[in-house]
């Protein structure tokens, strides 16, 4: 059993009177992609900064790549690629010069690697950094995080500012990193990205982890939308057949001009019993949508936390 | 869990780029050489404006009469007592006034920006996330500040020495060298105060404030202390007086003053590293 790539135990962090992290614990297995989602101010950035020893927890501890993150020193950070949440790059120097400067304080970078990544992300390295758009600066940030092929990537809102095409390219890079044995810890408030990239997801709210689940688990509890259409059955008949089915909610039946009926509903839980029940109906159309993670996660964002007093 | 044959992310075939020694130090220069060149040009302009005028201003009887007619307090405050000699003229116009002003502003700006400004702009966070220690970042940036101010002082030495003959200043080269060292040390003290304050607060403006306070109070304490024996004790608090109180262009640099200025700067440089190590960055 190998040690986890990241192990956070009971991290607390207060800034003055406000609590940024209120006991965050999680563990990330090596070679996996771990996503952290939550609204702004939930504590995602604070968690990541603690892993990099940029800020120190008020209490609790974090181990990164089997080393205590606190005062770990340069040897550990050489094995981490970090992209800060609000990346600021400025100066007259070209992107290439800037990256070379980071190479000097980073892990070893394979020759040609920077150009490879730049070509992939379509960024012109010869332009002065300050003239680059937000998206292109973000690409430089991604390059400096990936260039030394670190064992662990810590990426705070990595796709912010990227266009949809580049987002897909970035997600492909994450997948390749995982295939190469690297571990990726990324945060986002765009759930669809996490859903595409991550093996496991932690949902953070008000400095607490509300839930850690695999994407599959999340999908399992997620709500699916079901639409169907039947021929030769009236609306009333359809309603009586569907009403009793387990997990079916928000049922709406419309009469289809006497030729049949249409129904829409939300479905939570197992699919098989529903399908078995539907199989006997004279279906002309059936749509079972992919579960919407966003919907299920949003319910966690907004669900009142029972432990929380106002 | 991955079925693919995982290649090690840090494979041995990765060729190590030769890492530059003192990478943080080097970056300071590539980032701020324009500013260094600008301040150097400013100092050169001051030198070429003031010194060639010595034969017609400082050395002339008329100027001496003008000085004699000025209120003595003003003359003391401006350190114009010795303006009749080349050494006194260079001391009061260049080292004591315009040169002091320019290098102090440069040093405070660099010092405040080096860590406080870098943190405020959000870039320090990314630097510290790489394979460097905070001590290394603080000390290399302190060293860069020292080197930049020594470059300016060297430039001053070279230009003043070159004008020595043409401007009939009759300067002693050893005294000039000592004075240039004090000149660098004095600005370094304000610059390092700015560095320390910037690193303690993570705000550039605090660095500028504290650095400027050290420079300005040093100047004011000297000027006020010059006025009467009752307030002479203010001299003890004035780095400006430590450096220039004994007219180093005439009598040579006080070695104790050199040690005090550079020693205090090194102390504050070390404090900067200690403070930065303890802080949360970028919050």
């Amino acid at each position: 059993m190998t040690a986890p790539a990241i192990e956070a135990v009971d991290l607390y962090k207060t800034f003055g009177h406000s609590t940024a992290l209120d006991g965050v614990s999680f563990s990330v297995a090596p070679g996996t992609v771990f996503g952290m989602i939550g609204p702004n101010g939930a504590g995602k950035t604070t968690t990541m900064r603690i892993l990099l020893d940029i800020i120190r927890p008020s209490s609790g501890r974090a181990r990164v790549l089997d080393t205590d993150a606190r005062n770990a020193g340069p040897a550990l950070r050489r094995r981490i690629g970090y992209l800060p949440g609000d990346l600021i790059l400025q100066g007259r120097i070209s992107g290439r010069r800037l990256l070379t400067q980071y190479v000097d304080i980073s892990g070893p970078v394979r020759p040609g690697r920077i150009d490879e990544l730049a070509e992939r992300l379509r960024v012109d390295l010869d332009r002065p950094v300050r003239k680059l758009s937000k998206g292109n600066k973000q690409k430089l940030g991604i390059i400096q995080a990936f260039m030394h092929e670190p064992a662990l990537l810590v990426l705070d809102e990595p796709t912010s500012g990227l266009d949809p095409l580049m987002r897909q390219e970035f997600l492909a890079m994450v997948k390749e990193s995982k295939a190469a044995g690297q571990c990726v810890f990324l945060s986002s408030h765009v759930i669809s990205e996490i859903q595409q990239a991550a093996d496991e997801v932690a949902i953070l709210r008000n400095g607490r982890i509300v839930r850690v689940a695999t994407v599959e688990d999340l999908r399992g509890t997620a709500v699916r939308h079901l639409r169907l259409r039947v021929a030769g059955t009236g609306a009333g008949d359809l309603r009586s057949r569907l009403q009793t089915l387990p997990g079916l909610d928000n049922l709406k039946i419309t009469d289809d001009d006497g030729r049949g009926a249409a129904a829409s509903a939300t479905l939570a839980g197992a699919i098989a019993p529903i399908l078995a029940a539907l199989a006997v109906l004279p279906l002309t159309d059936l749509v079972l949508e992919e579960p919407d993670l966003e919907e299920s996660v949003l319910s966690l964002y907004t669900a009142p936390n029972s432990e929380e007093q106002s | 869990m991955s079925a693919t044959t995982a290649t090690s992310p840090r494979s041995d075939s990765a060729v190590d780029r030769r890492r530059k020694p003192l990478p943080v130090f080097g970056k300071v220069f590539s980032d701020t050489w324009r500013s260094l060149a600008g301040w150097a040009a400013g100092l050169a302009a001051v030198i070429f404006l003031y010194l060639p005028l010595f034969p017609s201003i400082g050395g002339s009887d008329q100027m001496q009469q003008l000085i004699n007619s000025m209120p003595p307090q003003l003359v003391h405050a401006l350190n114009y007592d010795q303006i009749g000699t080349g050494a006194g003229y260079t001391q009061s116009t260049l080292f004591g006034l315009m040169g002091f002003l320019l290098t102090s502003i440069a040093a405070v700006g660099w010092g405040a920006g080096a860590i406080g400004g870098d943190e405020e702009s959000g870039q320090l966070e990314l630097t510290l996330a790489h394979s460097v220690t905070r001590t290394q970042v603080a000390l290399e940036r302190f060293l860069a500040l020292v080197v930049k101010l020594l470059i300016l002082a060297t430039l001053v030495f070279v230009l003043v020495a070159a004008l020595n003959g043409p401007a009939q200043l009759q300067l002693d080269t050893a005294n000039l060298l000592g004075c240039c060292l004090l000149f660098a040390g004095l600005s370094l003290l304000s610059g390092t105060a700015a560095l320390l304050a910037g690193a303690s607060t993570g705000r550039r403006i605090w660095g500028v404030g504290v650095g400027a306070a050290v420079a300005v109070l040093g100047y004011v304490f000297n000027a006020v202390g010059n006025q009467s024996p009752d307030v002479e004790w203010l001299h003890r608090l004035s780095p400006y007086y430590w450096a220039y109180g004994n007219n180093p262009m005439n009598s040579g640099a006080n070695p104790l003053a050199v040690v005090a200025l550079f020693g205090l700067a090194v102390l504050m440089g070390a404090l900067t590293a200690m403070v930065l190590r303890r802080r949360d960055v970028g919050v």
Side-chain angles (χ1 to χ4, degrees):
Chain A
M1 181 74 197
T2 47
I6 301 173
E7 191 180 21
V9 181
D10 230 5
L11 292 176
Y12 281 85
K13 181 66 189 177
T14 52
F15 296 113
H17 292 296
S18 69
T19 302
L21 294 184
D22 193 6
V24 166
S25 303
F26 63 94
S27 162
V28 180
T32 61
V33 178
F34 189 89
M36 190 171 254
I37 46 183
N40 295 329
K44 301 179 301 247
T45 299
T46 303
T47 306
M48 292 190 159
R49 285 177 167 176
I50 286 175
L51 298 181
L52 269 297
D53 195 32
I54 291 165
I55 63 176
R56 281 69 184 261
S58 307
S59 73
R61 60 185 179 83
R63 284 181 77 76
V64 177
L65 301 174
D66 216 11
T67 314
D68 195 347
R70 179 79 172 88
N71 292 327
L76 171 62
R77 288 191 296 273
R78 190 180 294 221
R79 299 168 62 206
I80 306 177
Y82 175 57
L83 177 69
D86 25 28
L87 176 74
I88 292 145
L89 300 173
Q90 43 191 230
R92 293 168 202 259
I93 57 169
S94 67
R96 189 181 305 280
R97 280 287 301 281
L98 182 82
L99 290 172
T100 311
Q101 287 176 347
Y102 284 120
V103 169
D104 290 333
I105 54 171
S106 196
V109 174
R110 183 154 56 71
R113 168 81 173 157
I114 289 177
D115 287 294
E116 230 171 72
L117 290 171
E119 204 168 306
R120 206 166 163 183
L121 292 171
R122 296 196 209 141
V123 55
D124 181 0
L125 291 182
D126 295 316
R127 293 192 63 197
V129 172
R130 61 175 180 174
K131 297 234 169 106
L132 294 176
S133 66
K134 164 128 177 54
N136 280 320
K137 285 184 184 174
Q138 187 72 5
K139 291 176 190 173
L140 288 184
I142 291 173
I143 294 176
Q144 66 80 32
F146 277 80
M147 65 184 177
H148 54 298
E149 294 159 83
L152 171 66
L153 285 151
V154 177
L155 310 169
D156 195 355
E157 303 271 353
T159 55
S160 87
L162 297 186
D163 61 45
L165 211 62
M166 285 299 124
R167 280 176 193 223
Q168 288 310 313
E169 194 61 48
F170 167 79
L171 291 174
M173 283 168 66
V174 169
K175 283 204 180 95
E176 286 162 34
S177 297
K178 183 189 161 185
Q182 291 166 281
C183 178
V184 184
F185 177 38
L186 56 91
S187 76
S188 182
H189 56 252
V190 187
I191 292 137
S192 61
E193 278 168 22
I194 298 269
Q195 181 178 356
Q196 279 185 56
D199 302 307
E200 254 191 310
V201 185
I203 297 157
L204 201 63
R205 186 160 59 94
N206 293 335
R208 283 184 189 191
I209 290 188
V210 187
R211 174 154 187 220
V212 181
T214 64
V215 171
E216 288 315 311
D217 283 349
L218 219 49
R219 216 185 278 267
T221 57
V223 173
R224 292 165 192 271
H225 287 267
L226 172 74
R227 291 198 308 275
L228 60 85
R229 195 178 283 273
V230 289
T233 307
D237 189 18
L238 185 61
R239 177 179 297 276
S240 63
R241 279 170 182 254
L242 292 181
Q243 241 166 2
T244 54
L245 293 178
L248 222 50
D249 248 321
N250 300 316
L251 185 61
K252 278 197 199 97
I253 309 270
T254 48
D255 197 24
D256 207 5
D257 298 337
R259 281 175 284 144
S264 77
T266 58
L267 168 61
I271 305 167
I274 303 292
L275 280 185
L278 294 180
V280 299
L281 290 172
L283 290 170
T284 57
D285 192 12
L286 173 67
V287 178
L288 187 55
E289 281 180 0
E290 212 187 339
D292 189 351
L293 273 191
E294 191 131 6
E295 229 168 295
S296 61
V297 165
L298 279 178
S299 69
L300 286 168
Y301 277 179
T302 48
N305 193 331
S306 54
E307 298 162 74
E308 215 170 42
Q309 308 95 12
S310 69
Chain B
M1 64 169 282
S2 117
T4 49
T5 50
T7 55
S8 161
R10 287 169 48 77
S11 66
D12 294 335
S13 66
V15 180
D16 199 348
R17 254 185 66 100
R18 186 169 289 278
R19 285 165 70 89
K20 289 197 191 116
L22 302 179
V24 180
F25 176 82
K27 178 167 159 56
V28 173
F29 280 90
S30 55
D31 287 355
T32 61
W33 68 267
R34 275 184 185 80
S35 144
L36 179 61
W39 289 108
L43 272 176
V46 165
I47 290 168
F48 282 114
L49 278 175
Y50 273 87
L51 297 192
L53 294 179
F54 172 67
S56 53
I57 292 186
S60 77
D61 291 341
Q62 278 176 313
M63 186 64 177
Q64 205 52 57
Q65 280 167 17
L66 177 68
I67 300 257
N68 291 342
S69 68
M70 280 158 68
Q73 289 87 347
L74 180 62
V75 175
H76 288 312
L78 289 173
N79 310 299
Y80 273 12
D81 335 39
Q82 314 230 345
I83 206 164
T85 66
Y89 180 81
T90 311
Q91 173 81 62
S92 29
T93 57
L94 174 62
F95 291 112
L97 201 59
M98 287 306 289
F100 169 73
L101 185 68
L102 290 187
T103 47
S104 295
I105 296 174
V108 168
W110 287 331
I115 292 176
D118 200 40
E119 176 172 346
E120 201 165 28
S121 76
Q123 298 187 95
L124 184 65
E125 176 184 354
L126 187 53
T127 301
L128 292 182
H130 283 89
S131 143
V132 291
T133 64
R134 295 187 184 200
T135 309
Q136 178 190 357
V137 169
L139 293 187
E140 286 190 32
R141 287 185 179 169
F142 168 69
L143 194 64
L145 180 64
V146 175
V147 170
K148 282 194 280 192
L149 292 172
L150 286 177
I151 288 174
L152 290 184
T154 307
L155 175 83
V156 169
F157 174 78
V158 169
L159 292 182
V160 173
L163 285 175
N164 192 9
Q168 303 165 30
L169 295 164
Q170 294 177 305
L171 302 175
D172 179 271
T173 310
N175 287 356
L176 174 61
L177 188 64
C179 206
C180 285
L181 210 53
L182 289 168
F183 177 68
L186 190 56
S187 55
L188 178 63
L189 194 68
S190 339
T192 317
L195 180 76
L196 175 58
S200 310
T201 57
R203 297 283 177 272
R204 182 192 173 84
I205 191 69
W206 277 101
V208 171
V210 171
V214 169
V216 169
L217 289 180
Y219 187 84
V220 169
F221 285 170
N222 174 71
V224 175
N226 285 348
Q227 300 303 324
S228 94
D230 295 339
V231 285
E232 235 174 50
W233 59 271
L234 280 173
H235 282 160
R236 280 191 232 150
L237 301 176
S238 164
Y240 183 96
Y241 178 82
W242 307 341
Y244 298 148
N246 71 336
N247 292 313
M249 284 300 288
N250 261 322
S251 47
N254 177 1
L256 210 61
V258 177
V259 171
L261 293 175
F262 281 92
L264 273 178
V266 168
L267 196 70
M268 286 197 287
L271 264 177
T272 301
M274 284 168 60
V275 164
L276 186 63
R277 281 185 54 166
R278 285 160 191 280
R279 277 191 49 233
D280 286 345
V281 168
V283 294

